[in-house]
Amino acid sequence: MPTIEHYDVVIIGSGVSGLKAAHILKHEHKIDNIKIFEARDRIGGRLKVSEPGYHNHGYDMGASWHHDILINNMFHEESQRKDGPYRPYVIEDDSFSIIDYESDKSLDLDKNINIMPIFNELISYLSHVNSIGQDASYKQAVFNYINKMKSFLTEEQQINILSLSRYTELWNGDSWSLMSGMEPVGGHFGRNALVDQFGLYVNKFVDDGLKECVELSTEVSNINIVADATNNKKIAEIVTSDGRTVTADYVICSIPLSLLKKSSENSKQQGSIIFNPPIRESLTNALSHISFGSLGKFFFEFDSIKWDLTQSRTIILDHKFPEIIEAIKQFDSDQNLTIEQFELMEKLSTEKDFNEIKCDEYPYFVLNVAKSFNIPTILLLTQEPLTSSLELKSQKELFDFFKPALIRILKSYNCDKLLSFEPDNSKSIPSTEIHLKNIVHSTWTSDPYALGAYTSVRAGDAFDPFIEESLKGHQEIVRFVGEAFIEEGNGCVWGAEQTAIREVKKIIEHDCEIKLKTSHI
Amino acid sequence: MPTIEHYDVVIIGSGVSGLKAAHILKHEHKIDNIKIFEARDRIGGRLKVSEPGYHNHGYDMGASWHHDILINNMFHEESQRKDGPYRPYVIEDDSFSIIDYESDKSLDLDKNINIMPIFNELISYLSHVNSIGQDASYKQAVFNYINKMKSFLTEEQQINILSLSRYTELWNGDSWSLMSGMEPVGGHFGRNALVDQFGLYVNKFVDDGLKECVELSTEVSNINIVADATNNKKIAEIVTSDGRTVTADYVICSIPLSLLKKSSENSKQQGSIIFNPPIRESLTNALSHISFGSLGKFFFEFDSIKWDLTQSRTIILDHKFPEIIEAIKQFDSDQNLTIEQFELMEKLSTEKDFNEIKCDEYPYFVLNVAKSFNIPTILLLTQEPLTSSLELKSQKELFDFFKPALIRILKSYNCDKLLSFEPDNSKSIPSTEIHLKNIVHSTWTSDPYALGAYTSVRAGDAFDPFIEESLKGHQEIVRFVGEAFIEEGNGCVWGAEQTAIREVKKIIEHDCEIKLKTSHI
């Protein structure tokens, strides 16, 4: 009988949380007997830099920001490295400019509408006052806010706050119809630092002695928890999809939430894992009440920087819904809207047939990459369900779709040159024109090992119970890490790192307990 | 033996909380046998409209705003009255303009300094991150923030955020050296509505059948809790300073926190009450760990409106402390500052000898009353310890003190006419001049029945234990109401009303219990 390979810890996935866990095990706890199975042919998971584009620059397809810099230890560590931070960053946190759909003017600067105090009031309502219940959507919560406060908002303010409320879609990468009305805006702790090529961050781990542990292109298909009679404890049997079996005292499972959900549903989805014994009912149930959003990233590379570099962040609003505001007039402002009232309003605001989606039916978050990193590029962020549809399109189709938005953005940057898509045109460019040369974009929604971007709390979801259940792990010796499994820092790289720190600590403590018990026997 | 007057409830103080309590007792519970003792010769307490000024308009010396309009029931009730609100209001909540001391420019609009995201980060630090402990001051907490984040702030940003942090003084009416570093910025729930002649609000209660209950110019000197043997319960004996004694089943005590603190210290202060039995030790201790601030209000009446009406709220910053920022450079950013480091910085920032105070050593909150209510008036708010000093000065002295600030404010409103104080000059005014005609201001700090403005949480205070203790009342049958005795809405008129609603409910419930017990005997 051949000896089965045995590891102290097997880590599934070489994203930031898996690598961070391995790094702590190796360097802080001197545990070297580690194996990392990575399904893809590269490390990094949802941290990824694209192939060099037209300007020979790679763009981040995953995380781009250090968020919450007040409490983000990872950011502070990075910034204090004696050899400089691993990746350059820039704190780009000026007030965002909000471009009105109809007028193309800056809504945030309009003294008559005076929208920002109302936006802050809406956030306060959603975070502290809202009593709408967990089944209601973010959109419904916004309708309720406008209805409650309509006596103290002009009609113009009501119409505009409804548009602006959708800004939150671009934080969550999710539709206002899907997102929860209860916890749509997580607490943020301090400013944000934009990172150039954040995807290379994970290299610091492999550069630091972890290279040999990682086995690329190796998918894990099964995790079986079996009794190790000799040592009177449980161990894990990890089976890869090419039929190999290894055992481990502990498993750190860093597959994305999307795949863990599939696994708990016993889906035959590529990348999902069959657990034996199966994931317990309470965790399966908790996983069915948490969702996954799809932030899309579209980098538009132009021939050269032909626009102003004064504004780094811009929001382009979608078209307006005066009919909804008209409908709200009739409702009692003392009550939450009824299902019937909401359905009536929903009819007035529903996106068109999805085959006919138009650019102006969605808001976009725009980043003037040229201002931050001196590259002739503009980044647009999109949300689900738009992302899924756009990530499959050709460059030509994307240009046709985004063209109206690009023109409006360039105009807001004081550039009214004639825009055209000229990927192959190498002739000299007239001074009255601006040429889009290339579009680099994310493909997370069609990536079987991602199935989206990061955690989103949707209507009907229950975030706190999900966290509570997932923190218990599976059969004690399988621990979950990643952006999903934490409250503060959820959806963020630094949050993912925190889960690695937390779960390694649990493993070390658990192992000490086992050893103590054994020594007593 | 003459029969002693007996009341179901005696209320001490006819401010908004005392009158609201009486109103609920009378109208909701049909309890008519009420007496309200009021030490002053007028009702209203710290809600007060001044005598008509130069423009024949009365100004609010006390509260001017409905705060927290998302959850402020009083505001919603007022706005829904069929005969219109009792007092007109206007939601003035545009972004405040911040006038830099040195340049007289709008700091908030300076794209290079980009101060507002940093201000928001500071607020987030103070509210959620700060671990400085309850003995530290707000100023110390701000120093700690700057020290922690100095790597991510330019020197200019550090200097300016230090100045701007003092804005909070004008919310609390208190000095940054005195205020607590732990809870300096209460949660705000929605926008604010500025009210014209808010002081008249209390008239609605007396107009509604309470006039006969109020006995003006009658100070209460003693509250004795005695046994009512006949009914087997406690009752209260209330002695007025003119020697009269009445009894009551319940006492609602609405004297300001400042006077309740004096009472618990057995101070012989005018307006303080001798309790027998004395206030219990736990409450006395809690009262010694809560403070009272002194927001000052100075209305400057000009000959006519000669300035722009675009900006309603402005903050004038004080001079800067580059020496402090220089000192911070040397400290370790990973640690809270030590007492020694703090004392070093404190020396660099301490206000001059108090006899030589200068206008530019303090920030001011400025309200363009002309914009809101079409009166040629500008309001400046001041904080302790400045308020105590200024409230005693003559108009001429006040003009001399405030002149530099007034010139800067008018300049920011695009008015650079020559300013002079001309209370008695009735000649026609040259078009190049603007004349200050009159100053109307608060006098709360020297008013023995106020001794300041409202609750302030200072370094060394403990807010939560204070609330917990004060909610228990005194000897069960004495209940405390007013702006101080509540968490949400603390310091606000609507908060004061909420305490009246809460304490009347407790009295009614307690009375039912007593009656149930008695019926069993």
Side-chain angles (χ1 to χ4, degrees):
Chain A
M1 204 174 84
T3 316
I4 290 181
E5 287 171 54
H6 180 82
Y7 296 98
D8 291 338
V9 184
V10 160
I11 298 171
I12 304 173
S14 66
V16 69
S17 56
L19 289 173
K20 175 78 178 180
H23 195 259
I24 303 170
L25 285 166
K26 182 179 167 76
H27 292 279
E28 289 182 26
H29 301 290
K30 312 299 170 201
I31 297 174
D32 273 319
N33 184 25
I34 300 171
K35 171 65 76 184
I36 305 176
F37 289 123
E38 170 54 59
R40 294 186 177 98
D41 60 1
R42 59 165 183 87
I43 61 162
R46 281 167 283 159
L47 278 177
K48 184 193 169 193
V49 177
S50 72
E51 293 300 308
Y54 178 80
H55 293 292
N56 203 28
H57 188 90
Y59 300 98
D60 276 304
M61 299 292 101
S64 282
W65 281 272
H66 289 291
H67 291 299
D68 307 312
I69 69 169
L70 261 183
I71 58 171
N72 179 335
N73 289 336
M74 174 184 162
F75 169 68
H76 286 263
E77 266 175 41
E78 274 288 282
S79 66
Q80 280 159 25
R81 285 170 69 103
K82 284 192 189 109
D83 48 349
Y86 209 85
R87 302 307 318 154
Y89 62 85
V90 49
I91 299 176
E92 281 288 25
D93 228 18
D94 47 357
S95 325
F96 45 76
S97 169
I98 302 160
I99 307 300
D100 181 60
Y101 170 69
E102 279 158 24
S103 69
D104 272 355
K105 285 188 184 151
S106 286
L107 175 61
D108 50 312
L109 298 181
D110 189 323
K111 284 245 175 196
N112 288 320
I113 300 184
N114 196 13
I115 201 74
M116 293 319 289
I118 296 164
F119 182 68
N120 292 334
E121 184 170 272
L122 171 66
I123 300 294
S124 180
Y125 175 81
L126 294 169
S127 311
H128 303 294
V129 179
N130 183 16
S131 61
I132 194 175
Q134 87 182 33
D135 287 339
S137 68
Y138 176 77
K139 192 192 221 172
Q140 194 167 356
V142 173
F143 289 169
N144 267 326
Y145 163 75
I146 295 173
N147 185 48
K148 177 184 165 75
M149 296 302 281
K150 62 189 173 192
S151 314
F152 316 109
L153 298 167
T154 64
E155 195 162 323
E156 213 176 3
Q157 287 174 327
Q158 293 177 47
I159 290 171
N160 281 289
I161 194 62
L162 183 59
S163 278
L164 182 54
S165 74
R166 295 188 65 180
Y167 158 63
T168 308
E169 292 188 347
L170 284 327
W171 266 100
N172 293 39
D174 218 349
S175 161
W176 65 341
S177 302
L178 297 172
M179 278 157 51
S180 161
M182 289 303 283
E183 295 185 80
V185 226
H188 301 300
F189 303 91
R191 292 167 293 159
N192 309 293
L194 181 69
V195 188
D196 191 23
Q197 301 178 70
F198 204 162
L200 303 183
Y201 172 76
V202 290
N203 292 349
K204 84 170 189 185
F205 298 115
V206 284
D207 291 354
D208 206 9
L210 287 177
K211 198 161 190 167
E212 317 76 61
C213 309
V214 185
E215 206 158 314
L216 294 176
S217 304
T218 307
E219 202 178 298
V220 168
S221 60
N222 300 67
I223 298 177
N224 306 318
I225 307 301
V226 295
D228 174 4
T230 329
N231 297 304
N232 195 27
K233 62 178 189 176
K234 292 179 198 170
I235 58 167
E237 227 176 53
I238 298 100
V239 186
T240 60
S241 52
D242 55 10
R244 197 146 52 102
T245 299
V246 303
T247 57
D249 290 336
Y250 296 94
V251 176
I252 291 180
C253 179
S254 81
I255 63 174
L257 172 63
S258 50
L259 282 174
L260 189 60
K261 282 168 65 75
K262 295 282 180 194
S263 302
S264 74
E265 295 158 6
N266 292 315
S267 157
K268 294 287 177 270
Q269 176 79 30
Q270 183 183 359
S272 73
I273 295 170
I274 298 166
F275 287 84
N276 187 13
I279 291 177
R280 68 189 179 280
E281 204 184 322
S282 56
L283 178 54
T284 300
N285 186 43
L287 285 165
S288 72
H289 288 90
I290 190 73
S291 305
F292 211 61
S294 298
L295 190 80
K297 302 180 81 174
F298 297 82
F299 292 87
F300 294 87
E301 294 190 291
F302 294 91
D303 60 275
S304 63
I305 302 175
K306 293 176 172 170
W307 58 86
D308 279 1
L309 303 184
T310 44
Q311 185 70 38
S312 61
R313 307 185 303 164
T314 303
I315 295 156
I316 304 273
L317 296 184
D318 68 327
H319 67 154
K320 294 173 183 171
F321 303 103
E323 318 80 30
I324 293 181
I325 301 306
E326 198 56 39
I328 284 183
K329 279 187 185 154
Q330 312 150 29
F331 304 143
D332 177 357
S333 67
D334 281 343
Q335 303 291 322
N336 281 340
L337 298 168
T338 63
I339 301 287
E340 292 71 31
Q341 288 169 334
F342 179 63
E343 279 172 359
L344 169 68
M345 295 160 77
E346 184 74 10
K347 267 186 213 151
L348 300 169
S349 71
T350 304
E351 290 83 7
K352 309 278 161 11
D353 177 343
F354 204 67
N355 295 318
E356 302 168 29
I357 49 165
K358 288 211 186 71
C359 185
D360 69 8
E361 282 163 19
Y362 296 89
Y364 304 97
F365 187 92
V366 183
L367 208 78
N368 191 349
V369 182
K371 175 174 192 284
S372 305
F373 299 123
N374 199 31
I375 308 157
T377 299
I378 290 170
L379 165 63
L380 266 75
L381 302 185
T382 63
Q383 68 283 65
E384 199 56 7
L386 189 58
T387 305
S388 295
S389 161
L390 293 178
E391 284 190 344
L392 298 171
K393 289 194 189 296
S394 70
Q395 292 216 356
K396 178 69 176 56
E397 288 168 325
L398 287 174
F399 175 71
D400 290 343
F401 178 86
F402 278 115
K403 191 177 176 188
L406 292 173
I407 290 172
R408 290 170 62 208
I409 294 160
L410 288 168
K411 194 173 155 197
S412 85
Y413 295 161
N414 286 320
C415 169
D416 53 8
K417 296 181 191 297
L418 190 67
L419 170 67
S420 59
F421 182 44
E422 310 277 355
D424 307 314
N425 185 343
S426 57
K427 279 181 255 171
S428 74
I429 302 167
S431 68
T432 54
E433 294 183 17
I434 184 166
H435 289 188
L436 177 67
K437 305 302 292 185
N438 185 36
I439 304 169
V440 180
H441 66 84
S442 57
T443 55
W444 299 114
T445 53
S446 57
D447 176 340
Y449 300 122
L451 302 176
Y454 51 81
T455 308
S456 176
V457 183
R458 287 184 171 171
D461 282 351
F463 183 71
D464 292 346
F466 155 69
I467 293 291
E468 199 181 316
E469 272 300 325
S470 61
L471 256 60
K472 293 177 192 158
H474 168 69
Q475 296 283 325
E476 294 192 349
I477 60 172
V478 180
R479 314 300 316 177
F480 301 113
V481 297
E483 55 80 17
F485 305 101
I486 195 161
E487 199 172 339
E488 277 185 7
N490 187 279
C492 298
V493 182
W494 79 270
E497 279 207 357
Q498 287 301 117
T499 64
I501 296 167
R502 182 188 71 202
E503 296 301 326
V504 167
K505 186 160 176 260
K506 282 189 201 161
I507 285 174
I508 299 297
E509 285 169 359
H510 185 264
D511 201 50
C512 287
E513 271 174 43
I514 296 281
K515 282 185 182 143
L516 273 176
K517 267 190 210 160
T518 316
S519 70
H520 288 303
I521 291 169
Chain B
M1 203 173 84
T3 316
I4 290 181
E5 286 171 55
H6 180 80
Y7 296 97
D8 290 340
V9 184
V10 160
I11 298 171
I12 304 173
S14 67
V16 69
S17 56
L19 290 172
K20 176 79 178 178
H23 194 259
I24 304 170
L25 285 166
K26 182 178 168 79
H27 292 279
E28 288 182 28
H29 301 292
K30 311 299 169 202
I31 296 173
D32 273 319
N33 184 25
I34 301 171
K35 171 65 74 185
I36 306 176
F37 289 122
E38 170 54 57
R40 293 187 178 96
D41 60 1
R42 60 164 183 87
I43 62 161
R46 280 167 284 159
L47 278 177
K48 184 192 170 194
V49 177
S50 72
E51 292 303 307
Y54 178 80
H55 293 293
N56 204 28
H57 188 89
Y59 299 98
D60 275 304
M61 298 294 101
S64 282
W65 281 272
H66 290 292
H67 291 300
D68 307 313
I69 69 169
L70 261 183
I71 59 171
N72 179 334
N73 289 336
M74 175 185 163
F75 169 69
H76 286 265
E77 266 175 41
E78 274 289 283
S79 65
Q80 279 159 26
R81 285 170 70 102
K82 283 190 188 111
D83 47 350
Y86 208 85
R87 302 308 318 154
Y89 62 84
V90 50
I91 299 176
E92 280 288 25
D93 228 18
D94 47 357
S95 326
F96 45 77
S97 170
I98 302 160
I99 306 302
D100 181 60
Y101 169 68
E102 280 157 24
S103 70
D104 272 355
K105 286 189 184 150
S106 287
L107 176 62
D108 51 312
L109 298 180
D110 188 324
K111 284 246 175 195
N112 288 322
I113 301 184
N114 197 13
I115 200 74
M116 293 318 289
I118 296 165
F119 183 67
N120 292 334
E121 185 170 272
L122 170 65
I123 299 294
S124 180
Y125 174 81
L126 295 169
S127 311
H128 303 295
V129 179
N130 184 15
S131 61
I132 194 175
Q134 87 183 31
D135 287 339
S137 68
Y138 176 77
K139 191 192 221 174
Q140 194 167 357
V142 173
F143 288 169
N144 267 325
Y145 163 76
I146 295 173
N147 185 47
K148 178 183 164 74
M149 296 303 280
K150 63 189 174 192
S151 315
F152 316 110
L153 297 167
T154 65
E155 194 163 323
E156 213 176 1
Q157 287 174 328
Q158 293 176 46
I159 290 171
N160 281 288
I161 194 63
L162 184 59
S163 279
L164 182 54
S165 73
R166 295 188 65 180
Y167 159 63
T168 308
E169 293 187 348
L170 284 326
W171 265 101
N172 293 39
D174 218 348
S175 161
W176 65 341
S177 301
L178 297 172
M179 281 158 49
S180 161
M182 290 303 281
E183 295 185 79
V185 228
H188 300 301
F189 301 92
R191 292 167 292 159
N192 308 293
L194 180 70
V195 189
D196 190 23
Q197 300 178 67
F198 203 162
L200 303 184
Y201 172 77
V202 289
N203 292 349
K204 84 171 190 184
F205 298 115
V206 283
D207 291 354
D208 207 9
L210 286 177
K211 197 159 189 164
E212 316 76 62
C213 309
V214 185
E215 207 159 311
L216 294 177
S217 303
T218 307
E219 202 178 299
V220 168
S221 59
N222 301 67
I223 298 177
N224 307 318
I225 306 300
V226 296
D228 174 6
T230 328
N231 297 304
N232 195 27
K233 62 177 189 177
K234 290 181 201 170
I235 59 167
E237 228 175 52
I238 299 100
V239 185
T240 61
S241 51
D242 55 10
R244 195 148 52 103
T245 299
V246 303
T247 58
D249 290 337
Y250 295 95
V251 175
I252 291 180
C253 179
S254 81
I255 64 173
L257 172 63
S258 49
L259 281 174
L260 188 60
K261 281 168 67 74
K262 296 282 181 195
S263 303
S264 74
E265 296 159 6
N266 294 314
S267 157
K268 295 285 177 271
Q269 176 79 30
Q270 183 182 1
S272 73
I273 295 170
I274 298 166
F275 288 85
N276 188 13
I279 292 177
R280 69 188 179 279
E281 202 184 324
S282 56
L283 178 54
T284 300
N285 186 42
L287 284 165
S288 72
H289 288 90
I290 190 74
S291 306
F292 211 60
S294 298
L295 190 79
K297 301 180 81 174
F298 296 82
F299 293 86
F300 295 87
E301 294 190 291
F302 294 90
D303 60 277
S304 63
I305 301 175
K306 293 176 171 171
W307 58 87
D308 279 0
L309 302 184
T310 43
Q311 186 69 38
S312 62
R313 306 186 304 164
T314 303
I315 295 156
I316 304 273
L317 295 185
D318 68 326
H319 66 154
K320 294 173 183 170
F321 303 103
E323 317 80 30
I324 294 182
I325 301 306
E326 199 56 38
I328 284 182
K329 278 187 186 155
Q330 312 151 27
F331 304 143
D332 177 359
S333 67
D334 281 345
Q335 304 291 322
N336 281 340
L337 297 169
T338 62
I339 301 287
E340 291 72 30
Q341 288 170 333
F342 179 63
E343 278 171 0
L344 169 68
M345 295 160 77
E346 183 75 9
K347 267 185 214 152
L348 300 169
S349 71
T350 305
E351 290 83 7
K352 311 276 164 8
D353 178 343
F354 204 65
N355 295 319
E356 303 167 29
I357 49 166
K358 288 212 187 72
C359 185
D360 69 8
E361 282 163 19
Y362 296 89
Y364 304 96
F365 187 92
V366 182
L367 208 77
N368 191 349
V369 182
K371 176 172 191 283
S372 305
F373 298 124
N374 199 32
I375 308 158
T377 298
I378 290 171
L379 165 62
L380 266 75
L381 303 185
T382 63
Q383 67 284 63
E384 199 56 8
L386 190 58
T387 306
S388 295
S389 161
L390 293 179
E391 283 189 345
L392 298 173
K393 289 194 190 295
S394 70
Q395 293 216 356
K396 177 68 176 59
E397 287 169 326
L398 288 175
F399 175 71
D400 290 342
F401 179 85
F402 278 115
K403 191 176 176 190
L406 291 173
I407 289 172
R408 291 169 62 206
I409 294 160
L410 288 169
K411 193 173 158 199
S412 84
Y413 295 162
N414 285 320
C415 169
D416 52 10
K417 294 181 193 297
L418 190 68
L419 170 66
S420 57
F421 182 43
E422 309 277 354
D424 307 314
N425 185 342
S426 57
K427 280 180 253 170
S428 75
I429 303 168
S431 68
T432 54
E433 295 183 16
I434 183 166
H435 289 188
L436 177 68
K437 304 304 291 186
N438 186 37
I439 305 170
V440 180
H441 66 83
S442 57
T443 54
W444 299 114
T445 52
S446 57
D447 176 340
Y449 299 123
L451 301 177
Y454 50 81
T455 308
S456 176
V457 183
R458 288 184 170 171
D461 283 351
F463 183 71
D464 292 346
F466 155 69
I467 293 291
E468 200 181 313
E469 272 301 324
S470 61
L471 257 59
K472 293 177 192 157
H474 167 70
Q475 296 285 325
E476 293 193 349
I477 60 172
V478 180
R479 314 300 316 177
F480 301 112
V481 298
E483 55 81 18
F485 306 101
I486 195 162
E487 198 173 339
E488 278 186 7
N490 186 279
C492 298
V493 182
W494 79 270
E497 279 208 356
Q498 287 301 116
T499 64
I501 296 166
R502 183 188 70 203
E503 296 301 328
V504 167
K505 187 161 175 261
K506 282 189 200 159
I507 286 175
I508 300 297
E509 285 168 0
H510 185 264
D511 201 51
C512 287
E513 271 174 43
I514 297 280
K515 282 184 183 143
L516 272 176
K517 268 191 209 160
T518 316
S519 71
H520 286 304
I521 292 168

